[in-house]
Amino acid sequence: MSPRIGLNFNELLRASIKIVDTEGWEALTISYLAKKLTIQPPSIYNHIKNLDELKNSVALYAITQLYEQLKEAVNHQRSEKAIFALAFAYLNYARTHPGLYKATLSPSQTPKDEYHQTANKILNLIYEIMKPYNLTDIELIHAVRGLRSLLHGFVSLEKSEGFGINIPIDESVLFVLKNYISNLKQ
């Protein structure tokens, strides 16, 4: 392998994002990244401290991308339309970017400041769309946890082919969301 002239952190990050997006979160290793870039693994350490730093950056990219897609989906939507829009944007992100979606679930490996600030933006977005339901602070926490669990459950089961009955999954998502929302209205 010949050395790569002009290699920099941004190029490493772009290549890492591509690996995670196409091959999965676990596929990102220093040796695999080096192979993809046709360089020797030690060359990567001229630009990063370790794999965790690189994974932190990929996780930050992924959660930022998720936030932007959720924000765009709920833009100017209210009440249950906003919940439906957010839910399907979330599912769409997880379906089209399964590796990056998994990266969004890795807060222990990311810098707390930027990662958690972006995660809090997602929470604030959800809190905002829940305002019309006049929930107490505790009820709001339960509602947000419930929505996140519901969506992540669908993502996980769909990915592992846990839905064997030949009924469209999105019909099930709509059914469950309608029931979820009707309970928020009580």
Side-chain angles (χ1 to χ4, degrees), residues 88-142:
F88 282 100
Y90 185 98
L91 293 172
N92 183 58
Y93 184 81
R95 289 168 175 163
T96 57
H97 302 286
L100 291 175
Y101 172 73
K102 188 162 185 182
T104 69
L105 304 174
S106 303
S108 63
Q109 296 183 351
T110 58
K112 288 194 182 246
D113 55 354
E114 294 175 86
Y115 180 91
H116 289 291
Q117 285 175 8
T118 306
N120 284 334
K121 286 181 182 180
I122 293 173
L123 285 176
N124 289 333
L125 183 65
I126 298 170
Y127 291 157
E128 195 62 34
I129 66 173
M130 295 286 188
K131 274 186 180 177
Y133 300 100
N134 298 315
L135 303 171
T136 67
D137 290 345
I138 298 296
E139 289 170 336
L140 183 59
I141 291 168
H142 295 319

Side-chain angles (χ1 to χ4, degrees), residues 13 16-30 32 51-63 97-111 115 159:
L13 181 58
S16 298
I17 289 166
K18 186 174 181 181
I19 289 169
V20 170
D21 200 23
T22 58
E23 301 178 52
W25 181 242
E26 293 81 10
L28 181 57
T29 64
I30 296 296
Y32 190 63
L51 180 60
D52 283 343
E53 179 185 3
L54 196 54
K55 283 193 164 194
N56 292 343
S57 296
V58 172
L60 178 59
Y61 169 85
I63 200 161
H97 302 286
L100 291 175
Y101 172 73
K102 188 162 185 182
T104 69
L105 304 174
S106 303
S108 63
Q109 296 183 351
T110 58
Y115 180 91
K159 184 174 171 36

